[in-house]
Amino acid sequence: MSKVLVSDPIDQAGIDILSQVATVDVKTNLKPEELISIIGEYDALMIRSGTRVTQEIIEAGTNLKIIGRAGVGVDNVHVPTATRHGIVVVNSPEGNTIAAAEHAIAMMLALSRHIPDANASVKRGEWDRKTFVGTEVYKKTLGIVGLGKIGSHVAAVAKAMGMKLLAFDPFISTERAEQIGCQLVDMDLLAQQADYITLHIPKTPETTHLINAELLAKMKPNARIINCARGGIIDEDALANALKSGQIIGAAIDVFESEPLGESKLRDIGKEIILTPHLGASTAEAQVNVAIDVAEQIRDVLLGLPARSAVNIPGLGPDVLEELKPYMQLAETLGKLVGQLAGGRVELLNIRLQGELATNTSQPLVIASLKGLLHQALRERVNYVNASIEAKERGIRVIETRDASIRDYSGSLHLEATGNLGTHAVTGVLLGDSEIHLTNIDGFPINVPPSQHMLFTLHRDMPGIIGKLGSLLGSFNVNIASMQVGRKIVRGDAVMTLSLDDPLPDGILAEIIKVPGIRDAYTVTL
Ligand SMILES: NC(=O)c1ccc[n+]([C@@H]2O[C@H](COP(=O)([O-])OP(=O)(O)OC[C@H]3O[C@@H](n4cnc5c(N)ncnc54)[C@H](O)[C@@H]3O)[C@@H](O)[C@H]2O)c1
Ligand SMILES: O=C(O)[C@H](O)COP(=O)(O)O
């Protein structure tokens, strides 16, 4: 049974899902050296923002197949190292969107009405109604930096509260911003015009210290800033100075350059600042959402299935994946089959998307085909993460083509592998929504579902040959589950496709090829 280590507090709903397929150990607050010493035992690691998954930890995780981040940000995971080691990194891109957006709105209102300090004063026994006179957000300008999932929800709520919306997001179209009710502006204009600025961007080299002394100086003197995105986007020293000097009047900060927050100038500032300990995603609902979302993906990957929100598999967004998942399984099966038929060293893989499939995104199917193709050589070392890199390193050229005019089934996938031992081709389709059928082997039409152990022969279509092969297999105690012959003309060349209950014993292929009329034989394990 697989083993999963959960190293941050995760909702029980996620643990229950993982427990269906793995032994789950929950060990939180581990020191880096403790994690390094035990990570080698585990197939999967599930974390939140509390665990920093460094290069060293990943390298010590010699059995790791997946790192699951129960949340959005994967900046605490050294993703390039995970990719190099073929470890899938998944997150939950939407599970805590509402929670984070609502926290930002709560911070904005709490700042405007001095709620934390007013609350503290009443609890101290005071009744001071003068000090805590607030401001309304109605008709004020909110500058949203990052108009993605969280930024868009903040925009919708703020609009309903009667705020005017500006947004800075260089990757969003004007049309999209207008749909959300925001006017797209550059960062300087946003800083100059906004009464409130709220940050909803990832931390990247471009966004690190995006809010610095220079930008703070451009803000209105009565402006407030909210950061529920990532620590380090605001230069904390510059913010402390701007608040102390009265350059801006308020800040609400949930995330910090270094967490947990240690010694910090921000702690010394009075009622102008609200600090929360990275609580953006901390709602009961969000924690259930992210735990289920990520645990399901870990479960799928441990069962050999693709993950829907892998951050280090190019082209595999959740929408694409949902639609293509069955086709990826088809591609992987065909890749395994054609790789074993070709034998030896494959130099060229031709992938043709046919019929209705021709209009689909091909990249996930290419990745899945390569994963199948390389399985023989690399076994579980190859996965969706590293299949393209491994193929490139082995000098396998990939050609993708599309032919919408081939309509023998609504959509089919054709793989042709050329190597040092020759060329072989297979075609497959999905019947219903997910039932894989092989429809062509080396140009011969067939219609069989793949099975774990298969035998293919190339032979002359003539009386008695099936019986002779059946007897031979029987003499080796090999049970045939099903058999089908594919031929182009009667008594010409043909292929026989057999599904077997057991793997073929060593040495039997040489005997099969001796049967008169059989020219070649291939065993395949899928
Ligand atoms: N405080 C918390 O607990 C908490 C919870 C959830 C998410 N987050 C953080 O919130 C942030 C936003 O999350 P999301 O789910 O909305 O992400 P998202 O990917 O949906 O949106 C991010 C947006 O930022 C924009 N962007 C990227 N680089 C930019 C740049 N240089 N300048 C301006 N815009 C830029 C992108 O175009 C995108 O629209 C992330 O940093 C995430 O880690 C924090
Ligand atoms: O990126 C995220 O999802 C948030 O920062 C939440 O982090 P958390 O899971 O540690 O609360």
Side-chain angles (χ1 to χ4, degrees):
M1 208 177 194
S2 301
K3 284 187 79 178
V4 181
L5 176 64
V6 175
S7 63
D8 283 316
I10 302 286
D11 191 90
Q12 186 61 33
I15 313 279
D16 291 345
I17 291 169
L18 294 172
S19 304
Q20 294 165 5
V21 295
T23 305
V24 183
D25 290 341
V26 180
K27 294 182 182 175
T28 56
N29 295 321
L30 290 172
K31 295 198 180 81
E33 55 279 15
E34 291 172 323
L35 187 48
I36 288 174
S37 71
I38 59 169
I39 193 68
E41 296 169 34
Y42 293 96
D43 300 278
L45 173 64
M46 188 164 178
I47 55 161
R48 282 176 61 192
S49 59
T51 304
R52 267 177 50 73
V53 189
T54 58
Q55 202 166 339
E56 275 174 297
I57 290 169
I58 295 171
E59 277 161 4
T62 45
N63 284 316
L64 273 185
K65 286 146 196 87
I66 176 164
I67 299 167
R69 159 63 161 118
V72 183
V74 289
D75 41 347
N76 52 329
V77 180
H78 202 278
V79 178
T81 304
T83 305
R84 209 162 12 87
H85 289 268
I87 299 166
V88 192
V89 180
V90 300
N91 69 351
S92 174
E94 291 177 16
N96 58 27
T97 299
I98 302 297
E102 289 185 359
H103 196 65
I105 296 282
M107 293 285 240
M108 180 172 69
L109 294 174
L111 260 185
S112 302
R113 305 303 290 267
H114 312 295
I115 288 170
D117 290 291
N119 168 63
S121 83
V122 174
K123 287 187 175 165
R124 280 195 304 268
E126 298 163 14
W127 192 256
D128 178 357
R129 300 178 66 210
K130 264 198 214 133
T131 310
F132 301 116
V133 173
T135 47
E136 293 174 9
V137 298
Y138 181 64
K139 289 200 174 169
K140 297 290 185 326
T141 299
L142 174 63
I144 303 175
V145 182
L147 209 47
K149 292 180 283 297
I150 298 171
S152 303
H153 190 71
V154 166
V157 177
K159 195 171 171 220
M161 291 196 295
M163 297 187 84
K164 183 183 168 209
L165 305 178
L166 299 178
F168 170 62
D169 189 328
F171 308 107
I172 290 280
S173 68
T174 312
E175 296 73 43
R176 166 80 184 135
E178 278 167 6
Q179 259 175 15
I180 302 168
C182 291
Q183 184 193 343
L184 269 191
V185 292
D186 64 31
M187 193 59 211
D188 278 357
L189 196 62
L190 185 143
Q192 286 156 15
Q193 297 200 347
D195 300 300
Y196 296 84
I197 294 180
T198 183
L199 306 177
H200 300 291
I201 47 179
K203 186 183 173 203
T204 64
E206 295 77 42
T207 64
T208 300
H209 289 190
L210 177 71
I211 310 298
N212 51 25
E214 202 187 328
L215 196 113
L216 287 160
K218 291 179 184 156
M219 287 170 64
K220 286 182 173 179
N222 61 348
R224 296 175 172 91
I225 188 159
I226 299 135
N227 185 9
C228 291
R230 271 295 171 271
I233 298 174
I234 299 182
D235 176 340
E236 290 175 2
D237 285 346
L239 175 65
N241 294 337
L243 286 165
K244 274 188 195 150
S245 67
Q247 206 169 49
I248 64 167
I249 57 166
I253 309 293
D254 183 48
V255 284
F256 302 89
E257 300 215 33
S258 166
E259 293 180 11
L261 182 66
E263 282 287 302
S264 167
K265 286 186 184 173
L266 298 179
R267 289 186 192 270
D268 304 332
I269 295 164
K271 81 175 190 333
E272 300 83 6
I273 196 161
I274 299 175
L275 307 176
T276 51
H278 202 145
L279 289 182
S282 293
T283 64
E285 296 86 346
Q287 285 313 306
V288 171
N289 291 344
V290 295
I292 292 178
D293 190 359
V294 170
E296 283 181 349
Q297 297 186 70
I298 293 177
R299 176 198 63 197
D300 287 357
V301 167
L302 293 179
L303 293 174
L305 299 168
R308 62 178 167 262
S309 302
V311 301
N312 58 348
I313 305 179
L316 294 191
D319 301 347
V320 174
L321 196 59
E322 203 43 48
E323 197 187 322
L324 283 186
K325 208 168 177 176
Y327 279 105
M328 288 173 70
Q329 267 151 19
L330 169 66
E332 191 173 336
T333 304
L334 295 182
K336 274 186 185 170
L337 176 52
V338 82
Q340 291 174 65
L341 292 178
R345 195 180 63 247
V346 171
E347 287 145 8
L348 174 66
L349 181 67
N350 235 302
I351 301 171
R352 192 164 67 221
L353 279 64
Q354 306 182 149
E356 279 175 15
L357 199 58
T359 55
N360 264 297
T361 320
S362 60
Q363 195 184 19
L365 300 186
V366 171
I367 293 172
S369 304
L370 288 171
K371 176 174 183 264
L373 184 80
L374 293 171
H375 181 262
Q376 188 73 356
L378 299 176
R379 300 286 152 172
E380 53 288 328
R381 275 219 310 108
V382 65
N383 59 25
Y384 295 116
V385 179
N386 62 6
S388 301
I389 301 175
E390 292 287 352
K392 204 167 171 191
E393 280 174 1
R394 283 167 173 70
I396 299 173
R397 276 196 309 129
V398 178
I399 299 177
E400 300 164 41
T401 51
R402 292 159 191 275
D403 191 341
S405 70
I406 299 178
R407 291 209 161 267
D408 44 353
Y409 290 85
S410 55
S412 56
L413 188 66
H414 177 83
L415 261 53
E416 185 183 279
T418 302
N420 56 334
L421 303 178
T423 295
H424 286 271
V426 296
T427 310
V429 298
L430 287 182
L431 298 186
D433 278 343
S434 58
E435 201 184 314
I436 298 174
H437 270 235
L438 307 174
T439 57
N440 202 295
I441 301 281
D442 286 337
F444 295 95
I446 54 168
N447 189 343
V448 291
S451 65
Q452 193 185 0
H453 306 293
M454 300 191 81
L455 171 66
F456 297 91
T457 66
L458 178 62
H459 63 275
R460 279 278 312 285
D461 179 31
M462 58 190 205
I465 198 157
I466 295 174
K468 280 187 194 133
L469 181 60
S471 308
L472 179 65
L473 292 176
S475 69
F476 280 88
N477 198 27
V478 175
N479 204 32
I480 301 170
S482 70
M483 193 279 293
Q484 198 182 91
V485 173
R487 57 189 189 178
K488 294 180 206 166
I489 50 166
V490 176
R491 295 197 183 230
D493 283 340
V495 294
M496 212 184 313
T497 306
L498 295 98
S499 294
L500 309 173
D501 286 337
D502 316 287
L504 273 190
D506 286 346
I508 190 170
L509 267 191
E511 296 303 313
I512 292 173
I513 297 169
K514 287 182 195 158
V515 173
I518 294 185
R519 292 221 306 271
D520 237 326
Y522 308 86
T523 55
V524 165
T525 305
L526 296 174

Short mmCIF file of all heavy atoms in Angstrom, two decimals, residues 42 69 149 185 200 213 271 302 336 410 427 452 486 491:
data_model
loop_
_atom_site.label_atom_id
_atom_site.label_comp_id
_atom_site.label_asym_id
_atom_site.label_seq_id
_atom_site.Cartn_x
_atom_site.Cartn_y
_atom_site.Cartn_z
N TYR A 42 7.85 7.88 1.80
CA TYR A 42 6.51 8.24 1.34
C TYR A 42 6.38 8.37 -0.17
O TYR A 42 7.30 8.78 -0.87
CB TYR A 42 6.07 9.56 2.01
CG TYR A 42 5.89 9.37 3.50
CD1 TYR A 42 6.91 9.69 4.39
CD2 TYR A 42 4.71 8.83 4.00
CE1 TYR A 42 6.75 9.48 5.75
CE2 TYR A 42 4.54 8.62 5.35
CZ TYR A 42 5.55 8.94 6.23
OH TYR A 42 5.39 8.73 7.58
N ARG A 69 -0.59 20.45 -2.76
CA ARG A 69 -0.70 21.68 -1.97
C ARG A 69 -2.19 21.97 -1.78
O ARG A 69 -2.88 22.30 -2.76
CB ARG A 69 0.01 22.81 -2.72
CG ARG A 69 -0.41 24.22 -2.35
CD ARG A 69 -0.08 24.53 -0.89
NE ARG A 69 -0.07 25.97 -0.64
CZ ARG A 69 -0.89 26.59 0.19
NH1 ARG A 69 -1.84 25.93 0.82
NH2 ARG A 69 -0.77 27.89 0.37
N LYS A 149 -9.00 34.95 -10.23
CA LYS A 149 -10.17 34.36 -9.58
C LYS A 149 -10.58 35.16 -8.34
O LYS A 149 -11.74 35.53 -8.18
CB LYS A 149 -9.88 32.89 -9.21
CG LYS A 149 -9.73 32.00 -10.44
CD LYS A 149 -9.43 30.58 -10.08
CE LYS A 149 -7.99 30.36 -9.67
NZ LYS A 149 -6.99 30.62 -10.72
N VAL A 185 -6.22 50.00 -15.78
CA VAL A 185 -5.30 51.16 -15.79
C VAL A 185 -3.89 50.65 -15.48
O VAL A 185 -3.72 49.48 -15.12
CB VAL A 185 -5.69 52.20 -14.71
CG1 VAL A 185 -7.00 52.88 -15.06
CG2 VAL A 185 -5.77 51.56 -13.32
N HIS A 200 -4.07 40.91 -5.40
CA HIS A 200 -4.49 39.52 -5.67
C HIS A 200 -3.66 38.92 -6.80
O HIS A 200 -4.18 38.43 -7.79
CB HIS A 200 -6.00 39.49 -5.98
CG HIS A 200 -6.79 40.03 -4.84
ND1 HIS A 200 -6.91 39.36 -3.64
CD2 HIS A 200 -7.44 41.22 -4.67
CE1 HIS A 200 -7.60 40.09 -2.79
NE2 HIS A 200 -7.93 41.22 -3.39
N ALA A 213 8.64 51.92 -1.65
CA ALA A 213 8.57 53.30 -1.18
C ALA A 213 8.11 54.25 -2.29
O ALA A 213 7.28 55.14 -2.07
CB ALA A 213 9.94 53.72 -0.66
N LYS A 271 -3.30 51.84 15.41
CA LYS A 271 -4.58 51.45 14.86
C LYS A 271 -4.66 51.52 13.34
O LYS A 271 -5.66 51.12 12.75
CB LYS A 271 -5.70 52.24 15.51
CG LYS A 271 -5.97 53.65 15.00
CD LYS A 271 -7.21 54.19 15.71
CE LYS A 271 -7.79 55.48 15.20
NZ LYS A 271 -7.03 56.46 14.53
N LEU A 302 -1.76 8.20 -7.35
CA LEU A 302 -1.27 6.94 -6.77
C LEU A 302 -1.90 5.74 -7.48
O LEU A 302 -1.32 4.66 -7.51
CB LEU A 302 -1.56 6.89 -5.26
CG LEU A 302 -0.77 7.91 -4.42
CD1 LEU A 302 -1.14 7.79 -2.94
CD2 LEU A 302 0.75 7.75 -4.60
N LYS A 336 1.88 2.58 -25.13
CA LYS A 336 2.49 1.36 -24.57
C LYS A 336 2.51 0.26 -25.62
O LYS A 336 3.49 -0.46 -25.79
CB LYS A 336 1.65 0.85 -23.39
CG LYS A 336 1.97 1.47 -22.06
CD LYS A 336 1.16 0.74 -20.98
CE LYS A 336 1.35 1.40 -19.64
NZ LYS A 336 0.43 0.89 -18.64
N SER A 410 -16.18 8.24 -34.68
CA SER A 410 -16.31 9.71 -34.60
C SER A 410 -14.94 10.36 -34.39
O SER A 410 -14.60 11.33 -35.03
CB SER A 410 -17.30 10.11 -33.51
OG SER A 410 -16.90 9.54 -32.30
N THR A 427 -4.18 2.03 -34.06
CA THR A 427 -5.24 3.03 -33.97
C THR A 427 -6.21 2.59 -32.89
O THR A 427 -6.45 1.38 -32.73
CB THR A 427 -5.99 3.16 -35.32
OG1 THR A 427 -5.03 3.33 -36.35
CG2 THR A 427 -6.95 4.35 -35.33
N GLN A 452 -4.66 -6.89 -20.33
CA GLN A 452 -3.33 -6.77 -19.73
C GLN A 452 -2.27 -7.56 -20.50
O GLN A 452 -1.18 -7.07 -20.77
CB GLN A 452 -3.37 -7.22 -18.27
CG GLN A 452 -2.11 -6.82 -17.53
CD GLN A 452 -2.06 -7.35 -16.12
OE1 GLN A 452 -2.97 -8.04 -15.66
NE2 GLN A 452 -0.99 -7.05 -15.43
N GLY A 486 -7.74 -9.97 -38.01
CA GLY A 486 -7.98 -8.81 -38.86
C GLY A 486 -7.30 -9.05 -40.19
O GLY A 486 -6.13 -9.45 -40.23
N ARG A 491 -7.46 -14.92 -47.34
CA ARG A 491 -6.27 -15.74 -47.59
C ARG A 491 -5.03 -14.90 -47.93
O ARG A 491 -4.08 -15.38 -48.53
CB ARG A 491 -6.53 -16.78 -48.68
CG ARG A 491 -7.59 -17.77 -48.20
CD ARG A 491 -7.61 -19.02 -49.03
NE ARG A 491 -8.69 -19.89 -48.55
CZ ARG A 491 -8.52 -21.17 -48.28
NH1 ARG A 491 -7.34 -21.75 -48.42
NH2 ARG A 491 -9.52 -21.89 -47.86
#
